[in-house]
Structures are given as C-alpha cells and as structure tokens.
Amino acid sequence: MSILAGADTRLLVQGITGREGSFHAGRCREYGTNLVAGVTPGKGGGLFEESIPIYNTVEEAVVETGANMSLIFVPPPFAADAIVESVDAGIPTIACITEGIPVSDTVAVVHYTRDKDVTVIGPNCPGLISPGHRCKAGIMPGSIHMPGRVGVVSRSGTLTYEAVGQLTALDIGQSTCVGIGGDPVSGTSFIDVLAMFEDDPDTDAVALIGEIGGTREQEAAEFIESDFTKPVAALIVGRSAPPGRRMGHAGAIITGRSARASEKIAALERAGAAIAPSPAHIGATVQSILA
Amino acid sequence: MKVHEYQAKRVLAEAGVPVPRGEMARSADEARKAAERLGGKAVVKAQVHAGGRGKAGGIRVASSPEEAGRAAEEMLGSRLVTFQTGPEGAPVSAALVEEPLEIARELYLAIVMDGAARGPVVIASQAGGMEIEEVAERTPGKIMRIPIDPGLGLQPYQGRKLAYGLGFEGAQARPAAAMMGRLYSVFRENDCSLVEINPLAVTSDGRILAADAKLDFEDDALFRHPALREMHDPAQDDPLEAQASEFGISYVKLDGDVGCMVNGAGLAMATMDVIGQAGGGPANFLDVGGGADEDKVARALSIILSDPSVKSVLVNIFGGILRCDVVAKGMLQAVGENPQTDRPMVVRMLGTNAEEGRGILSASGLNVALVDDLAEAAQAVSRYSRASGIPSGPGAAR
C-alpha cells in the first residue's frame, strides 16, 4: 500500500495545456501514473498527447473518466478557484503545485474544505509520489525514488529530492513522499500526513523535513509524542537564517522565538524523533532508526 | 512589501483609525512648516523600514519649528543605523512630523496571518511600546490571542472583548471596540500579512491613537492592489536584493563570505546550514527558482559575484525541472560577463542532466571543483573561504 496515491489513482491535471502543466503531465504519465484527463476551460474536446481527453470543467472530466485525484498548475490568481472546482466535483485528493497564491485565498479555501472529506495538498508544493505503485502526481524527478517502506513528508521541494536521493543511495526505499508546501497556510499539515502514515501498514518509519517559520513542526512533535507509534527521523533547516528575513518560501520567516530552528529541533527531540545533525545526514539518520 | 510609517498611517486614517496629526516632510523647510501648522512643538521621525529608531536617534522631540527643521535637516540624506538595519543603515529620505502626545498608557495590538490557526489572529497586550516577543517571554499570560473566522470576519463582540481586555472602560470602550473592526478591515481589504500598532497610545486627555504603525502587504497579493504597489520605496531595499527581485530571483544578503547559488528555498537554507557547520558563513540566500533558464542562472551568479564580500562560491543544484546543463551554461555566461572575478567555485550537481552539466564545467577551464557529497562541498568551499587571499588560478577543475 501507500498513502494518498496508489494503484487506483486516476489522475486529472488542471491547467494541462499550459507550459508547466503539459510538461509535468507528460512526466507523470511517463513515470507510470494513470493520467485519465486534463482540464483547461475553453480547450474542451481536445486531446493531450493524442490520447488523453481534455475537458472544459472538472465536473465533466470526473463524470466521463472517473478521475479521483487532481493536480493543479493554474496561475496564482485563478488557483483557489481551481481547487474549489475540484472539491465541488467530488475529487477526494487534490495537490496544488502553484506558487504565489495570496494567503487569504488559501485561507478561504482551507476554511471551505474544513468539514469536507477532501485532502488538499499544498499550495506551493512538489506534490506526491508512491514509487511502489509507479504513481506520481507532482513535479519531483521520478528517477531518484525507489519503492520501499519509509514515508517522507516535507515543507520543501528540492530539499525533499535531496533527502530522497540520500535514502535511495543507501538503498532505503519510500512508500509515499508528500510535499505539504512552503506557504504559511496549507491545506494539509504534518499531522494529517503522519496520521495517514500511522495507518499505513506498508510504512515502517517516517522522515519529516521541516524548516524555520510558523509552529507546524511543534504541532507535529506533539502528535508524534501522543499518537504516532512509528520511528521518526527529522531534519529542520534554516539554523543559519537571520530573524525577520523571508528565506524564499513565504512561510520561512522567523517572526518569534517559536519560529526558530532550535525551538523546532528541541520539540521534535523531546517527542523522541531522531534529529539529523545536518542536511547532509538525513539519509543516515533514517538508516539509524530502521533497526 | 513593507511601507513607511507615514504611508501606513495614511491607510489607517482613511479607514477611520485615529492617528496623530502629522505631515510627511522631505526637506528641513517642509518639516519646519509642518511643525508650525502643528502649533510649534513636534516629534520628527525618520522614515525607514526598520524598528529600533528611537534608540538610534531617529525620533527627535522638537520644541519649536526651527528645532524641527534642524532635526529633519540632520536626518534627511543620512543613513540611520538601528539594530535591525545592519551596520550600513537605511537611507532616510522622508521624515514624519507629528504632534507630540502626552501618553498615559501604551498598548500593543496586531493582526497577523497565523499558520497554526489557518487564518487571521488578533494579538493584544497591555504591555505596549516594547517588542511583543519580549512580552511573550516575560509575561505570556498577558497576551490575548483571538482567532478570526475568515468567513465571518471580526465580530463586534470580539472587538468588545479586546477593548475590555486592553483595559478600556466607560466611554472609551465603544470607540476602542469599533477601532478593532476598522483595523481588521484594513488587514482584510489590503491583503496584509501584518498590521501592528505598537504602541496604541491612550493620551492623558483620553484619546486613543495609533502612535506607531506598521503595515506589511503580502507580495503575492499585490497584483490586485496596484495602488499599494506604488507605495514601494526601492531605496529601502538592498541594491542586490532589488536587482534579484527584478529577475524573479529570491535573494537575501547575509553576513558571511561564501556566496551560494541553489535551486529551491529549502535546499538553499540547507546549503547555508552545512556551510555554517563547516565553519564558513553564507554570504547570501539565493533560490534561482524552478523554471530558470541560462539567462536567469547567469543573472543569479552575477549578483553573487558582484558582492564584494563573497570570497568563494558554492553552487548546489538538484536538477528536476531545472536542468544541470542549463545551469552550467548560465554559469559560463556569468563568468564571461565578470572576467575580473576569479573566485574559487565548488559545484555540486545532481539530478536531471547532471553529467552534461559537470562535463560543460570541466571542459571550460574554469576555477571549479566538482563535488558530489553535500558535506564535502561545504567543507571545500569553507576552506577556500578561510584561505582567501591565496592566489588560485584557473584550471583547478578536476
């Protein structure tokens, strides 16, 4: 098994005719993902790569193809609308790659989905991948992954690739890798993903990759202490970042003591997580918890 | 996007939030006339995007228009150094000349977008005039935190709760509560990431005023607020940061001497951390971005090379969307444009087209060391950094 993405995933790409949407839809398909549909308003009736039908609306795509996951590459001003369209069409898992969505838009979407049975991953995230099922709904390079039993959850993109690269080099495979996104507010928290890994019989341990800003790692630490039974290895980056300066990600800014790397590391350590001494050692740290 | 105090107060005043009477001045003469209109006595406040102005001499009390003029004269055109600006300081091109206040109480009030609450939160405390982090550490019980439902907005009862909690009584409670609602409107309608009133002053004659004000507008939402964008004062930005942002490159100047060029914000922070652990200091944060082309890579490296404090460079690329051969070509272009800068470079390339990228660099005769391991790369570059001054000619690539 795996979480969120698996053998029964039927992927839909919103914004499939755009530059990034078409490129990554192609890479997902190449990797082995069951891409069933694309949506671009006004381009309905066309075909992507001469075989995947394009629809004007998500609703139509769901009715025609049974799509059950959406991957979104819609520009920031229209991305919140795209997420809500998928939610309303009944898609249970939505990953939004788009970077630069106004936080207030994300807040409204998260608020709207709060009591609904839907998982929104992102925005501003690399998406997710389950190597054992050759299922990739995201922008990560598929080739660095290998099937296995370690779950990866991260706020970052390329840093996740770095971590996965180290794991694969050590012959440690992954069950599912999920990027929850670098914005201050996101649809899915560390806790949401940890809870899924807890219930997944094919995940033995988790690598958690966090960074400065906010208090999401502390919330994760509380959950790990009280409700999570599998071993966790954690990496927190931004130890060398000065307070008050935004480090690329909108969420990566130290605005108070709790946003610092040291506070997050201390909280995770108290919760029993093994802390990677440096970003160069996340692979080795995961290896150390897989006794 | 940060704005000046006078701009923030203008936005607040337009929304009906009371602020002290005052005028912005760009010359000693304007400051003198403004003080005259205020009745003679005035406070002259240097307009920079940094806190800690009071202790740095950026806030001066003047007892006459002439004194206000002299204070402005000294400030304008100078650079104000506060604990937040770094040693180079921030340029002062405007001063805010305000009525002096007789302050009876100083309170703290802020609205932020809170990741944990997944929405706006109002933070209030009776301990105003100092950094809220300090209050949080000393007396955490004295801070009120009220999450606002993004659908409903700030409810009148929440405004009253804040007003009573801040110690407003009798006739003062009603206008104080109403002000909370107006502040929330400012936050919401302008897509702010921060509204901070510190201090919110209660004067001895009972007025409630935003004595200082800080508004941060969310960069990602500026596309729907063209008028706010006009408030941007580029002189307050670091020149290299401004240049980077023009090309869509995320760059932050730091104190060390190891320049770094990385793709992805998380990996860029990780790279800074390993440099620090290897005994070096990062000169910058730089995320070249996922969709970069040769030109953008060249611009990014040129920005790093034009920083005189950079003694060596670490390039750390995990190719995904961004291909390593594109990065290598962009690097050659940048070095070609900056032939005078022969600083040692350590390059780590993994992922998409890494072989091709490394091949291009090896064949170029550049002073480049190719390293695979992240820790090793950081050690190598930090060694160069400490050994800077030792001549290191081209042909060091292996």
Side-chain angles (χ1 to χ4, degrees), chain B residues 278-289:
Chain B
N284 62 273
F285 164 96
L286 191 149
D287 169 11
V288 71

PDB file of all heavy atoms in Angstrom, chain B residues 278-289:
ATOM      1  N   ALA B 278      30.345  23.769   8.531  1.00  0.00           N
ATOM      2  CA  ALA B 278      31.717  23.519   8.082  1.00  0.00           C
ATOM      3  C   ALA B 278      32.641  24.657   8.508  1.00  0.00           C
ATOM      4  O   ALA B 278      33.822  24.669   8.151  1.00  0.00           O
ATOM      5  CB  ALA B 278      31.748  23.340   6.568  1.00  0.00           C
ATOM      6  N   GLY B 279      32.113  25.617   9.223  1.00  0.00           N
ATOM      7  CA  GLY B 279      32.956  26.701   9.729  1.00  0.00           C
ATOM      8  C   GLY B 279      32.968  27.932   8.833  1.00  0.00           C
ATOM      9  O   GLY B 279      33.681  28.894   9.103  1.00  0.00           O
ATOM     10  N   GLY B 280      32.195  27.918   7.772  1.00  0.00           N
ATOM     11  CA  GLY B 280      32.109  29.094   6.899  1.00  0.00           C
ATOM     12  C   GLY B 280      30.863  29.897   7.243  1.00  0.00           C
ATOM     13  O   GLY B 280      30.110  29.553   8.147  1.00  0.00           O
ATOM     14  N   GLY B 281      30.660  30.980   6.525  1.00  0.00           N
ATOM     15  CA  GLY B 281      29.445  31.767   6.737  1.00  0.00           C
ATOM     16  C   GLY B 281      28.836  32.089   5.388  1.00  0.00           C
ATOM     17  O   GLY B 281      29.515  32.572   4.488  1.00  0.00           O
ATOM     18  N   PRO B 282      27.536  31.804   5.190  1.00  0.00           N
ATOM     19  CA  PRO B 282      26.910  32.114   3.903  1.00  0.00           C
ATOM     20  C   PRO B 282      26.821  33.634   3.682  1.00  0.00           C
ATOM     21  O   PRO B 282      26.478  34.374   4.600  1.00  0.00           O
ATOM     22  CB  PRO B 282      25.525  31.493   4.018  1.00  0.00           C
ATOM     23  CG  PRO B 282      25.270  31.290   5.474  1.00  0.00           C
ATOM     24  CD  PRO B 282      26.607  31.161   6.133  1.00  0.00           C
ATOM     25  N   ALA B 283      27.174  34.070   2.478  1.00  0.00           N
ATOM     26  CA  ALA B 283      27.085  35.490   2.132  1.00  0.00           C
ATOM     27  C   ALA B 283      25.681  35.854   1.694  1.00  0.00           C
ATOM     28  O   ALA B 283      25.336  37.030   1.608  1.00  0.00           O
ATOM     29  CB  ALA B 283      28.078  35.818   1.017  1.00  0.00           C
ATOM     30  N   ASN B 284      24.883  34.834   1.388  1.00  0.00           N
ATOM     31  CA  ASN B 284      23.539  35.109   0.889  1.00  0.00           C
ATOM     32  C   ASN B 284      22.695  33.849   0.913  1.00  0.00           C
ATOM     33  O   ASN B 284      23.213  32.738   0.981  1.00  0.00           O
ATOM     34  CB  ASN B 284      23.600  35.625  -0.549  1.00  0.00           C
ATOM     35  CG  ASN B 284      24.190  34.612  -1.507  1.00  0.00           C
ATOM     36  OD1 ASN B 284      25.400  34.553  -1.665  1.00  0.00           O
ATOM     37  ND2 ASN B 284      23.350  33.780  -2.107  1.00  0.00           N
ATOM     38  N   PHE B 285      21.379  34.080   0.831  1.00  0.00           N
ATOM     39  CA  PHE B 285      20.408  33.044   0.471  1.00  0.00           C
ATOM     40  C   PHE B 285      20.084  33.313  -0.990  1.00  0.00           C
ATOM     41  O   PHE B 285      19.864  34.463  -1.362  1.00  0.00           O
ATOM     42  CB  PHE B 285      19.158  33.206   1.333  1.00  0.00           C
ATOM     43  CG  PHE B 285      17.945  32.469   0.829  1.00  0.00           C
ATOM     44  CD1 PHE B 285      17.637  31.223   1.325  1.00  0.00           C
ATOM     45  CD2 PHE B 285      17.119  33.035  -0.139  1.00  0.00           C
ATOM     46  CE1 PHE B 285      16.525  30.537   0.863  1.00  0.00           C
ATOM     47  CE2 PHE B 285      16.010  32.346  -0.612  1.00  0.00           C
ATOM     48  CZ  PHE B 285      15.716  31.095  -0.095  1.00  0.00           C
ATOM     49  N   LEU B 286      20.106  32.288  -1.832  1.00  0.00           N
ATOM     50  CA  LEU B 286      19.669  32.509  -3.212  1.00  0.00           C
ATOM     51  C   LEU B 286      18.976  31.262  -3.751  1.00  0.00           C
ATOM     52  O   LEU B 286      19.558  30.177  -3.772  1.00  0.00           O
ATOM     53  CB  LEU B 286      20.835  32.881  -4.136  1.00  0.00           C
ATOM     54  CG  LEU B 286      20.415  33.382  -5.537  1.00  0.00           C
ATOM     55  CD1 LEU B 286      21.408  34.379  -6.091  1.00  0.00           C
ATOM     56  CD2 LEU B 286      20.202  32.243  -6.532  1.00  0.00           C
ATOM     57  N   ASP B 287      17.726  31.454  -4.155  1.00  0.00           N
ATOM     58  CA  ASP B 287      16.971  30.399  -4.822  1.00  0.00           C
ATOM     59  C   ASP B 287      16.749  30.858  -6.260  1.00  0.00           C
ATOM     60  O   ASP B 287      16.046  31.833  -6.504  1.00  0.00           O
ATOM     61  CB  ASP B 287      15.634  30.191  -4.101  1.00  0.00           C
ATOM     62  CG  ASP B 287      14.677  29.295  -4.877  1.00  0.00           C
ATOM     63  OD1 ASP B 287      15.117  28.664  -5.861  1.00  0.00           O
ATOM     64  OD2 ASP B 287      13.496  29.219  -4.485  1.00  0.00           O
ATOM     65  N   VAL B 288      17.401  30.143  -7.178  1.00  0.00           N
ATOM     66  CA  VAL B 288      17.335  30.570  -8.576  1.00  0.00           C
ATOM     67  C   VAL B 288      15.967  30.229  -9.187  1.00  0.00           C
ATOM     68  O   VAL B 288      15.588  30.774 -10.215  1.00  0.00           O
ATOM     69  CB  VAL B 288      18.510  29.952  -9.380  1.00  0.00           C
ATOM     70  CG1 VAL B 288      18.328  28.470  -9.570  1.00  0.00           C
ATOM     71  CG2 VAL B 288      18.690  30.653 -10.703  1.00  0.00           C
ATOM     72  N   GLY B 289      15.203  29.363  -8.514  1.00  0.00           N
ATOM     73  CA  GLY B 289      13.846  29.054  -8.984  1.00  0.00           C
ATOM     74  C   GLY B 289      13.804  27.831  -9.885  1.00  0.00           C
ATOM     75  O   GLY B 289      14.820  27.426 -10.450  1.00  0.00           O
TER      76      GLY B 289
END
